[in-house]
């Protein structure tokens, strides 16, 4: 409880936060695609998109998001109040997604931009910029101080996008993500 506030004021603050966060849970549209928060029924399609990008680009399968147990159950992995995972969907098919979650292995107020993968048919349509902004806005709204991300040097196009959004390179990894094959580490102050 916040000291010196009547209980009705606590409720007002609580509901104000709930209504503010709810705007991130509405279905949005961009270039004919729906952008919405992941549902349980999306798990298989999201996993297929993520793993498909690894096969398509010949990325390492060990020490990356490919091998994460969360990749098989994305809906369950993003149930915490300060986490969210968006999917890009059209006519019932998932084409990509991106999420924000507390950085594993640290108690600091740092979130991680996670599992930002698009099917090749979705790339180059501006949806990456849109989704990245949506995720960063959510991270700010839930009061994270810093956003961290990991990538591989093979994904140069995405690194350019991150730099446009103000991410800066780090010398090494943060937290405990177990992604030893990710050789690019970046952060952005929120």
């Amino acid at each position: 409880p916040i000291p010196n506030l009547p209980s009705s004021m606590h409720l007002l603050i609580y509901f104000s936060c709930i209504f503010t966060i709810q705007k991130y849970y509405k279905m949005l549209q961009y270039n004919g695609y729906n952008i919405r928060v992941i549902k349980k029924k999306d798990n298989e399609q999201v996993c297929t998109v993520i793993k498909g990008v690894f096969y398509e680009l010949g990325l390492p399968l060990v020490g990356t998001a490919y091998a994460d147990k969360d990749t098989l159950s994305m809906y369950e992995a993003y149930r915490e109040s300060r986490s969210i995972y968006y999917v890009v969907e059209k006519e019932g098919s998932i084409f990509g997604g991106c999420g924000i979650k507390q950085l594993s292995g640290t108690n600091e107020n740092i979130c991680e931009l996670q599992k930002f993968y698009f099917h090749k048919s979705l790339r180059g349509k501006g949806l990456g910029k849109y989704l990245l902004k949506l995720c960063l806005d959510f991270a700010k709204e839930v009061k994270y101080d810093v956003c961290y991300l990991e990538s591989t040097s093979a994904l140069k196009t995405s690194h350019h996008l991150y730099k446009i959004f103000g991410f800066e390179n780090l010398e090494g990894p943060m937290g405990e993500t177990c992604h030893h094959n990710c050789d690019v580490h970046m952060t952005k102050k929120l």
Side-chain angles (χ1 to χ4, degrees), residues 50-117:
I50 291 171
K51 291 188 174 200
V53 171
F54 278 82
Y55 291 127
E56 172 201 348
L57 300 176
L59 301 174
L61 305 184
V62 177
T64 61
Y66 182 94
D68 288 353
K69 64 180 170 100
D70 288 351
T71 302
L72 300 171
S73 54
M74 296 289 286
Y75 171 80
E76 292 79 2
Y78 290 85
R79 302 302 303 148
E80 297 293 321
S81 62
R82 294 178 74 208
S83 66
I84 199 162
Y85 192 84
Y86 291 105
V87 295
V88 180
E89 176 260 339
K90 188 172 189 175
E91 298 172 2
S93 295
I94 304 294
F95 290 88
C98 184
I100 289 286
K101 191 174 182 182
Q102 172 69 38
L103 176 61
S104 179
T106 181
N107 291 326
E108 294 181 59
N109 199 27
I110 302 171
C111 64
E112 183 181 8
L113 184 74
Q114 296 185 337
K115 314 261 188 319
F116 193 2
Y117 296 101

Side-chain angles (χ1 to χ4, degrees), residues 21-47:
I21 298 300
Q22 278 185 338
K23 71 182 176 186
Y24 293 97
Y25 287 85
K26 293 181 181 176
M27 184 171 334
L28 304 167
Q29 294 202 331
Y30 186 87
N31 273 357
Y33 292 88
N34 296 321
I35 298 169
R36 60 173 173 77
V37 174
I38 193 169
K39 298 177 183 175
K40 188 170 181 64
K41 69 177 185 161
D42 301 327
N43 278 346
E44 186 177 338
Q45 286 191 67
V46 171
C47 181

Side-chain angles (χ1 to χ4, degrees), residues 168-179:
E168 297 177 355
N169 285 58
L170 296 175
E171 290 298 316
M174 295 175 70
E176 296 173 5
T177 65
C178 299
H179 294 164

